Amino acid sequence: MPSPFSARLSDPSSEPSSEPFSERGTMSHPAPTPERPAEAVARLRAAFRTGRTRPLAWRTAQLHALRTLLTEEAAALADALHRDLGKSAYEAHRTEIGFTIREIDHTLEHLEDWLRPQPADVPEHLAGASAWTQYDPLGVVLVIAPWNYPAQLLLTPLLGALAAGNAVVAKPSELAPATSAVLARLLPQYLDADAVAVVEGGVPETTELLAERFDHIFYTGNGTVGRIVMAAAARHLTPVTLELGGKSPVFVDRGTDPQEVARRLAAGKFLNAGQTCVAPDYVLTDPETARALEPALARAVEELYGPDPAAGDRYGRIVNERHFDRLTALLDSGRVVTGGDSDRDTKYIAPTVLADVDPDAPVMQEEIFGPVLPVVTVPGLDEAIAFINDRDKPLALYAFTDSPAVRERLAAETSSGGLSFGLPLAHLTVPELPFGGVGESGMGNYHGRYSLETFSHRKALLAEPPR
């Protein structure tokens, strides 16, 4: 089947780049700034129609340039993340800068293979014909990022969209203003400014963007805004990826090691001061195991952050006063096992564990998205599964159990964006796994090859043999 593959745009690397790149992959004539959303979209669409984003050489140049940005400007990014969220340099590199670099490296290693056309069998009545599929870029896509991981959650979908050969409008979060400003300054310096635009701002600018016609919209955030994005996209029949959140439960089985469970739970829950969409939201376990977990969790928090997390440099802060006030209102939802302290002036809330939490308590009515971990007791696995299934489908479900039968039941009898045994958050770091939600926790997925699929159209091609 060589003929159609060699003759019909089969290898994007065979198309010459239409413009020279500088050392950083920047075009020699960067776009003027500032510009309105409509102007940015029109400019990018004109660039996309020239075909400049299709060659493999262009795509890999953009990824290399983005990697260079992350290494050369790591200190500036880490400083911005500290100003916005109190993130330590260690956490900024681990969860944002380094995470994105690893995603770039994985994509660069595999992109050419992913883009190869895939042959398809043809039925007997078409004997002699050739059939195959290829990934086509969608066009101009919009990426809207949240504030909790404001670099990673803008740049990771951005790199997937560029790898797929698209032009991209990037909208950083206005609630992380320092990071937004740094990215708005740096991205046009390092990337092809004719094909990548950054639009800063709040609700008015986002509303203007959503009025434009895009070929895909990728939104990370909450369900309320997700509905607004989806309604705006529907006017143009624009496909969307919604990376939302929800209350991600943790089931802790009888007989597990409370110390080990507590260490892993605390590390996953209190990262970024709990402001992580896949953070463990609450614990479900039997009363005896819950009692064993209480002192273990208190010790685990102290091991991570010391006797006074506020005095250390490893623990972050709440993004703003509004979220601080929302979270402190939840602290009375149960008996405080550890933590409970807060300081509005510095937006500090201690890593907090609540016991004896009623299922109807305020802390159980919404995604917490902060450093508060409630423990809810249930008699056993049957009741835990029913508890999970009675609520919206979560972005992640975690379980600590040594029983293969329990693992099989959780996999078969619950629905969630991802299911991880023993390692909260770890599934995000596996580039061969799709990351995304289901139901209220979102639609669509990305990371690795799944990003290419999200930002591409898999086109079917059929060719009769030459006459």
Side-chain angles (χ1 to χ4, degrees):
M1 197 160 307
S3 57
F5 293 174
S6 59
R8 296 175 176 262
L9 223 112
S10 57
D11 182 2
S13 64
S14 65
E15 299 177 34
S17 176
S18 58
E19 294 284 351
F21 290 97
S22 72
E23 264 181 54
R24 292 175 171 179
T26 310
M27 305 311 299
S28 56
H29 42 84
T33 54
E35 61 185 341
R36 301 306 305 169
E39 297 169 340
V41 174
R43 181 172 59 79
L44 266 58
R45 192 168 300 284
F48 176 79
R49 286 174 176 167
T50 68
R52 70 189 299 151
T53 67
R54 287 179 173 268
L56 179 61
W58 183 91
R59 305 181 195 201
T60 56
Q62 299 310 298
L63 297 187
H64 281 295
L66 184 56
R67 194 186 197 284
T68 301
L69 182 160
L70 290 166
T71 54
E72 290 184 349
E73 307 291 349
L77 282 168
D79 177 67
L81 291 164
H82 180 75
R83 283 185 282 153
D84 285 331
L85 289 153
K87 290 192 182 189
S88 67
Y90 169 80
E91 188 172 307
H93 284 274
R94 176 189 170 201
T95 65
E96 305 231 32
I97 300 166
F99 183 101
T100 309
I101 288 173
R102 289 190 296 273
E103 183 80 7
I104 291 171
D105 289 345
H106 179 78
T107 303
L108 284 169
E109 180 182 357
H110 297 286
L111 182 58
E112 187 171 5
D113 284 339
W114 292 342
L115 289 172
R116 294 189 193 282
Q118 296 298 308
D121 292 335
V122 296
E124 212 171 286
H125 71 275
L126 292 175
S130 299
W132 68 100
T133 62
Q134 69 181 36
Y135 287 117
D136 277 1
L138 294 174
V140 180
V141 304
L142 171 64
V143 175
I144 305 175
W147 52 262
N148 59 323
Y149 291 88
Q152 182 222 124
L153 293 178
L154 181 74
L155 299 180
T156 304
L158 169 67
L159 77 88
L162 294 173
N166 298 287
V168 186
V169 176
K171 169 61 180 67
S173 174
E174 73 279 10
L175 297 182
T179 307
S180 178
V182 168
L183 291 171
R185 174 174 61 85
L186 293 176
L187 285 172
Q189 293 179 23
Y190 283 80
L191 300 181
D192 180 349
D194 283 345
V196 178
V198 181
V199 174
E200 288 193 281
V203 173
E205 290 77 13
T206 305
T207 301
E208 283 188 58
L209 277 171
L210 291 174
E212 297 298 314
R213 181 178 67 82
F214 288 93
D215 298 289
H216 194 95
I217 298 175
F218 189 105
Y219 168 77
T220 304
N222 62 63
T224 300
V225 178
R227 286 172 168 81
I228 295 171
V229 170
M230 197 168 181
R235 291 196 293 270
H236 301 291
L237 293 181
T238 298
V240 298
T241 300
L242 300 179
E243 296 293 343
L244 308 178
K247 296 184 74 64
S248 295
V250 182
F251 174 70
V252 181
D253 203 3
R254 291 182 176 90
T256 51
D257 178 355
Q259 304 300 328
E260 186 62 27
V261 171
R263 280 192 289 270
R264 296 185 182 192
L265 262 181
K269 174 62 180 181
F270 300 117
L271 181 72
N272 197 29
Q275 298 166 120
T276 303
C277 60
V278 286
D281 191 273
Y282 63 94
V283 176
L284 287 173
T285 191
D286 63 277
E288 183 179 351
T289 304
R291 286 191 293 273
L293 276 175
E294 290 182 20
L297 283 166
R299 282 193 294 272
V301 170
E302 186 167 346
E303 288 173 5
L304 276 173
Y305 302 112
D308 181 11
D313 60 359
R314 296 285 293 270
Y315 183 69
R317 298 297 185 266
I318 306 306
V319 65
N320 56 33
E321 287 83 2
R322 181 170 66 87
H323 284 281
F324 176 92
D325 293 341
R326 178 184 63 82
L327 288 164
T328 53
L330 303 177
L331 295 176
D332 293 332
S333 294
R335 173 171 53 86
V336 175
V337 172
T338 188
D341 302 327
S342 63
D343 181 352
R344 196 174 192 272
D345 289 339
T346 61
K347 300 188 288 292
Y348 167 79
I349 298 177
T352 299
V353 177
L354 301 178
D356 304 330
V357 175
D358 189 277
D360 295 324
V363 77
M364 294 300 295
Q365 303 311 306
E366 60 180 14
E367 182 181 6
I368 297 168
F369 218 70
V372 183
L373 180 65
V375 180
V376 177
T377 58
V378 290
L381 177 63
D382 289 343
E383 292 79 7
I385 289 174
F387 192 99
I388 294 165
N389 289 340
D390 283 344
R391 288 153 178 80
D392 290 332
K393 296 177 181 180
L395 185 54
L397 169 60
Y398 304 113
F400 292 88
T401 178
D402 296 323
S403 167
V406 172
R407 293 185 177 197
E408 288 174 11
R409 285 197 61 191
L410 287 168
E413 298 178 30
T414 64
S415 178
S416 57
L419 170 58
S420 183
F421 297 105
L423 289 170
L425 278 62
H427 62 295
L428 272 73
T429 67
V430 181
E432 296 293 337
L433 285 177
F435 176 70
V438 58
E440 285 287 321
S441 57
M443 62 179 67
N445 51 57
Y446 72 124
H447 288 176
R449 181 167 192 150
Y450 300 98
S451 292
L452 177 68
E453 294 178 355
T454 288
F455 290 110
S456 301
H457 166 61
R458 190 159 191 170
K459 184 162 67 179
L461 295 99
L462 178 72
E464 64 177 358
R467 296 182 182 274

